[in-house]
Amino acid sequence: MVVVDILCAVVATVCYREMYTVAVVVPNPKNLQELADSLKISCDWSDLCSNPEITEHVLKQMKSLAQGTLQKFETPQKISLTDEVWTPDSGLVTDSLKLKRKPLSEHYASVVSQMYR
């Protein structure tokens, strides 16, 4: 079961700030709910996305999927799940659902900063 729908990896080493990659993740609602059910966690969508146990399980799954495919420095070491849906109307993706890196970086600047603390 893949929980991640959309991932925006922030490679901070490009700007020489940090030594590891972090990511803001849009989880798949159905799969995230199945994960929560398997962990016997019951709460609303927003609380699921901010639940540390859920986040840790999603990060472990991402690291497992990345193993053998990505280099260690390309694999996110910390993630933040977002309950926001990224649509062209939100301005975070294009009409063809490509990520708009600058708007995403600006929108999630405080989240990314928090992950580097």
Side-chain angles (χ1 to χ4, degrees):
M1 158 181 54
V2 177
V3 176
V4 176
D5 262 354
I6 302 174
L7 166 72
C8 180
V10 179
V11 184
T13 52
V14 170
C15 61
Y16 305 103
R17 282 189 38 208
E18 305 294 341
M19 296 304 295
Y20 57 92
T21 302
V22 299
V24 176
V25 177
V26 177
N28 177 290
K30 178 180 174 249
N31 293 345
L32 192 69
Q33 186 60 57
E34 287 176 9
L35 173 61
D37 292 345
S38 74
L39 297 172
K40 299 188 180 357
I41 297 173
S42 178
C43 51
D44 67 16
W45 173 248
S46 180
D47 290 338
L48 278 182
C49 289
S50 61
N51 182 293
E53 188 176 359
I54 294 281
T55 301
E56 185 61 32
H57 274 76
V58 173
L59 179 59
K60 284 180 184 175
Q61 180 188 45
M62 289 173 61
K63 286 182 176 183
S64 175
L65 291 171
Q67 207 169 24
T69 306
L70 298 176
Q71 297 292 322
K72 183 173 169 93
F73 71 90
E74 296 173 307
T75 305
Q77 300 304 305
K78 292 184 180 181
I79 63 168
S80 176
L81 303 180
T82 181
D83 59 353
E84 291 182 76
V85 179
W86 296 354
T87 64
D89 292 336
S90 71
L92 300 175
V93 295
T94 66
D95 288 338
S96 59
L97 300 181
K98 293 179 184 172
L99 302 179
K100 290 184 172 180
R101 296 203 180 273
K102 185 173 180 176
L104 282 165
S105 294
E106 291 169 355
H107 187 76
Y108 289 103
S110 64
V111 173
V112 170
S113 178
Q114 184 67 34
M115 284 190 278
Y116 281 121
R117 289 188 185 154

